[in-house]
Amino acid sequence: DAGITQSPRHKVTETGTPVTLRCHQTENHRYMYWYRQDPGHGLRLIHYSYGVKDTDKGEVSDGYSVSRSKTEDFLLTLESATSSQTSVYFCAISESGTTGRYGYTFGSGTRLTVV
Amino acid sequence: GENVEQHPSTLSVQEGDSAVIKCTYSDSASNYFPWYKQELGKRPQLIIDIRSNVGEKKDQRIAVTLNKTAKHFSLHITETQPEDSAVYFCAASFTGTASKLTFGTGTRLQVTL
């Protein structure tokens, strides 16, 4: 497939609980990203990583944290889930110019519902 | 930061007609402009992209044009087919900063028979 997998695919959680989403890649790409997709907002960047243990915030980072301890794994944690974090979360990877290519490859997404 | 606006939000065309989706960006440093297609319940997939040193790029029935001066870029789909029905997203980034893409809000294209 695309060399990038997300887990879980679906999750329902209660308000106030912590939630961790996982993104795993087999492409050895340096850059990894977490986006959320909401109707009327398109895809908005939450956090991104430019290497192991190197991460930075995107435009909608409040309430989220990330970790990248290995090249292949990028974890997104909702520290205390709120209903406003109900969304579809997409992970993406990019070579970002290593081979002249800058486009993203997206994972299949995680549909998260906070009740 | 970068801001990308996309129009229209919905577009309905008859099979065989052309479709045009337009985007504007705010950051003059942006130099990479991809377009993604997302079918219902699926992941976004890259369909075509353009760098700022090129004004137009074609791939079969799809083409993208870029006007750097006006900060506009557009997606053109000719001879539309039912399988072109999807949501299309434009995006922009500066390739020197981890290529963080800023996306438009999407255009839902419906191709009717």
Side-chain angles (χ1 to χ4, degrees):
Chain A
D1 202 352
I4 174 172
T5 55
Q6 291 184 232
S7 59
R9 291 295 310 276
H10 302 272
K11 186 171 182 65
V12 179
T13 192
E14 293 186 348
T15 299
T17 61
V19 177
T20 295
L21 309 183
R22 181 178 184 243
C23 179
H24 178 79
Q25 63 148 328
T26 58
E27 303 296 324
N28 200 35
H29 286 347
R30 177 182 177 186
Y31 297 95
M32 300 185 75
Y33 313 83
W34 278 107
Y35 282 82
R36 61 178 289 175
Q37 184 174 31
D38 305 288
H41 291 277
L43 293 143
R44 292 180 292 172
L45 181 64
I46 305 170
H47 282 280
Y48 66 100
S49 171
Y50 45 95
V52 173
K53 297 186 179 179
D54 290 324
T55 64
D56 206 348
K57 296 178 180 180
E59 63 176 306
V60 290
S61 60
D62 287 349
Y64 301 94
S65 61
V66 290
S67 66
R68 191 171 179 196
S69 59
K70 298 184 291 184
T71 298
E72 57 265 36
D73 290 325
F74 192 32
L75 303 180
L76 175 71
T77 297
L78 287 66
E79 295 145 6
S80 177
T82 68
S83 58
S84 64
Q85 293 176 311
T86 292
S87 186
V88 178
Y89 291 85
F90 283 100
C91 177
I93 59 175
S94 172
E95 298 174 79
S96 195
T98 306
T99 56
R101 300 173 187 164
Y102 296 94
Y104 288 2
T105 299
F106 283 92
S108 296
T110 295
R111 182 173 296 276
L112 177 68
T113 303
V114 183
V115 298
Chain B
E2 176 65 275
N3 182 54
V4 177
E5 295 189 355
Q6 183 172 349
H7 299 281
S9 57
T10 61
L11 179 60
S12 182
V13 299
Q14 286 195 323
E15 183 179 6
D17 288 350
S18 295
V20 181
I21 302 170
K22 299 182 179 182
C23 290
T24 61
Y25 62 99
S26 62
D27 189 348
S28 57
S30 290
N31 60 359
Y32 175 66
F33 307 92
W35 286 86
Y36 287 82
K37 176 184 180 182
Q38 186 178 29
E39 297 176 350
L40 189 62
K42 300 292 181 68
R43 72 186 80 191
Q45 293 196 302
L46 178 67
I47 56 172
I48 195 168
D49 56 11
I50 192 168
R51 299 288 305 279
S52 60
N53 57 349
V54 175
E56 183 175 2
K57 183 177 180 181
K58 290 183 179 180
D59 183 3
Q60 299 182 343
R61 295 186 298 107
I62 61 173
V64 57
T65 59
L66 171 65
N67 182 330
K68 284 177 55 180
T69 302
K71 297 181 189 170
H72 289 173
F73 58 113
S74 300
L75 178 71
H76 304 254
I77 306 174
T78 59
E79 301 174 15
T80 53
Q81 301 169 3
E83 52 264 40
D84 294 328
S85 295
V87 177
Y88 292 81
F89 292 97
C90 62
S93 76
F94 172 60
T95 55
T97 54
S99 293
K100 294 177 294 177
L101 287 173
T102 299
F103 286 84
T105 50
T107 296
R108 182 174 300 279
L109 174 65
Q110 181 69 46
V111 179
T112 57
L113 297 174

